[in-house]
């Protein structure tokens, strides 16, 4: 991207520290070519309980339990999550509007309080300064996948093609990965090694649970499969880079979005439970022909890889020169 100024832009990422949310902001900063300062904030009472609805005195909202929020103010602030809203509003006000504020996900208030708001299409927020994406922003790029694939290729050379990356999440606030589902999924994966000669690259998560992981390992024992044991460097990027297809559980919008950035066939494992927003997200990808439910089959299809982090970054850089000129920063 072309630089907006001759001097490097400064950037803050503001969140409550949840990795999945914070990585969306970091991914956008990196797509802008910036190395952000990470601000993990903790709000005082009553802002912690009432934000974003309570907007009085936001400059006092951040407590000392979180990272300091003080000048010099950044050129760009990228925030996400309810706790970031009060800080974003305060910085915008105290910088006299000079800080370009980007809010990822619906801030549950008018988007006019920010310079740009980024929401997935299953959210209903719409305005001139609202960008709508198919899924979540993230840090995955073709270069990152290629680098990881090259480094892990010797370790995984024994696995036959087609190689399938299997990304297993687990229980969250709305979904449950039951032993019954895990057993059924593991059996379908095992059948792919027999019927298609597939090699499996499997990464469970902390939310998978010990019992489910034991079921998975037992069913895949003796088959051409690597199930990451959690030690050493995480092979997640390498699995995506080396895969011919991806199987992913439905409980993570971020994980699904990352899989769909590869342009490879993506199968989704449906779990018990769900919510209207998750349902709308997955049904949208099914309709678009990007993903399919995992039924134990293995097919090939093509689609335009989801490259929304780059698209949002380009929109930020499109809007930023006029913003800086308006505030005497050009």
């Amino acid at each position: 991207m072309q630089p907006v100024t001759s001097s490097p832009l400064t950037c803050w990422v503001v969140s409550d520290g949840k990795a999945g949310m914070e990585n969306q902001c970091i991914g956008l900063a990196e797509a802008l070519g910036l190395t952000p300062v990470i601000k993990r904030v903790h709000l005082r009472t009553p802002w912690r309980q009432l934000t974003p609805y309570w907007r009085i005195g936001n400059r006092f909202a951040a407590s000392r339990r979180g990272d300091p929020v003080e000048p010099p103010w950044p050129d760009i602030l990228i925030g996400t999550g309810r706790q970031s809203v009060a800080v974003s509003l305060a910085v915008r006000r105290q910088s006299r509007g000079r800080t370009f504020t980007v809010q990822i996900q619906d801030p549950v208030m008018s988007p006019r309080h920010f310079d740009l708001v980024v929401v997935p299409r299953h959210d209903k927020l719409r305005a001139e300064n609202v960008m709508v994406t198919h899924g979540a922003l993230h840090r995955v790029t073709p270069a990152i996948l290629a680098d990881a694939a090259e480094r892990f290729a010797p370790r995984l050379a024994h696995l036959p093609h087609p190689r399938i990356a299997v990304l297993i999440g687990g229980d969250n606030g709305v979904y449950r990965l039951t032993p019954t589902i895990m057993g059924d999924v593991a059996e379908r994966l095992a059948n792919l090694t027999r019927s298609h000669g597939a090699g499996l690259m499997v990464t469970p998560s902390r939310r998978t649970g010990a019992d489910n992981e034991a079921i998975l390992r037992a069913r895949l024992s003796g088959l051409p499969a690597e199930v990451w044991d959690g030690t050493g460097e995480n092979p997640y990027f390498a699995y995506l880079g080396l895969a011919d297809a991806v199987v992913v559980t439905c409980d993570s919008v971020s994980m699904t979005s990352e899989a769909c950035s590869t342009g490879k066939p993506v199968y989704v494992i449906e779990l018990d439970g769900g919510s209207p927003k998750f349902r709308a997200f997955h049904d949208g990808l099914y309709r678009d022909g990007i993903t399919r439910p995992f039924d134990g089959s293995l097919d090939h299809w093509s689609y335009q890889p989801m490259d929304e982090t780059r698209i949002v970054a380009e929109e930020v850089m499109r809007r930023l020169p006029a913003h800086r000129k308006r505030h005497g920063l050009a």
Side-chain angles (χ1 to χ4, degrees):
M1 293 185 185
Q2 293 296 317
V4 175
T5 69
S6 58
S7 58
L9 295 171
T10 58
C11 177
W12 287 3
V13 158
V14 179
S15 78
D16 64 3
K18 291 186 178 69
M21 300 300 297
E22 186 174 283
N23 280 338
Q24 294 194 52
C25 299
I26 296 173
L28 178 55
E30 290 173 344
L32 291 166
L34 305 175
T35 302
V37 174
I38 310 299
K39 297 283 186 178
R40 296 179 179 134
V41 297
H42 188 280
L43 302 187
R44 295 186 174 98
T45 297
W47 294 275
R48 182 168 182 80
Q49 291 77 18
L50 299 178
T51 189
Y53 309 105
W54 179 267
R55 301 203 298 273
I56 299 173
N58 279 324
R59 67 185 184 277
F60 303 116
S63 80
R64 292 183 179 179
R65 292 176 60 185
D67 291 326
V69 178
E70 57 193 20
W73 307 120
D75 296 306
I76 300 173
L77 184 152
I78 306 170
T80 189
R82 191 169 65 91
Q83 300 296 311
S84 73
V85 170
V87 173
S88 182
L89 295 177
V91 171
R92 192 175 192 229
R93 183 180 182 85
Q94 292 182 80
S95 70
R96 298 185 178 182
R98 294 184 175 188
T99 295
F100 187 92
T101 53
V102 182
Q103 195 69 22
I104 296 176
Q105 293 202 331
D106 188 349
V108 199
M109 63 192 307
S110 171
R112 66 181 175 83
H113 296 289
F114 309 89
D115 294 296
L116 186 66
V117 177
V118 183
V119 298
R121 63 178 169 179
H122 52 263
D123 281 345
K124 303 303 182 184
L125 186 66
R126 300 292 186 270
E128 184 279 330
N129 68 326
V130 173
M131 284 196 73
V132 179
T133 65
H134 285 74
L137 306 189
H138 52 77
R139 303 179 70 182
V140 175
T141 66
I144 286 174
L145 297 187
D147 175 71
E150 182 178 5
R151 287 186 290 107
F152 277 82
R155 186 175 105 185
L156 298 167
H158 67 286
L159 292 178
H161 288 275
R163 290 174 175 167
I164 303 170
V166 184
L167 317 178
I168 304 294
D171 294 355
N172 61 14
V174 296
Y175 280 114
R176 288 188 63 239
L177 174 56
T178 65
T180 299
I181 293 174
M182 189 73 268
D184 179 63
V185 167
E187 190 59 33
R188 290 179 179 182
L189 291 171
N191 285 336
L192 288 178
T193 69
R194 303 181 185 111
S195 61
H196 292 273
L200 306 177
M201 303 173 291
V202 186
T203 174
S205 75
R206 288 188 295 273
R207 293 185 292 106
T208 302
D211 290 344
N212 284 326
E213 188 170 335
I215 292 170
L216 186 63
R217 290 182 181 279
R219 296 288 178 91
L220 300 183
S221 177
L223 299 176
E226 174 179 285
V227 182
W228 186 47
D229 61 6
T231 62
E233 182 184 353
N234 190 332
Y236 177 84
F237 291 150
Y239 287 178
L240 286 177
L242 293 167
D244 299 299
V246 183
V247 174
V248 57
T249 53
C250 67
D251 52 291
S252 171
V253 171
S254 293
M255 207 157 58
T256 305
S257 299
E258 289 167 352
C260 293
S261 76
T262 66
K264 300 170 183 180
V266 176
Y267 288 96
V268 176
I269 299 168
E270 295 282 357
L271 306 181
D272 280 353
S275 71
K277 285 189 175 182
F278 269 100
R279 190 71 269 147
F281 167 69
H282 285 295
D283 286 348
L285 295 183
Y286 291 155
R287 285 194 305 270
D288 292 341
I290 296 175
T291 64
R292 297 179 185 178
F294 180 55
D295 60 2
S297 63
L298 189 60
D299 200 358
H300 181 78
W301 66 94
S302 60
Y303 57 90
Q304 185 66 33
M306 287 168 53
D307 195 13
E308 296 177 307
T309 309
R310 178 187 59 81
I311 293 170
V312 173
E314 289 177 348
E315 181 64 15
V316 171
M317 298 305 282
R318 187 186 73 81
R319 291 173 179 258
L320 194 56
H323 170 89
R324 292 180 64 80
K325 184 176 181 180
R326 188 164 59 247
H327 292 281
L329 300 171

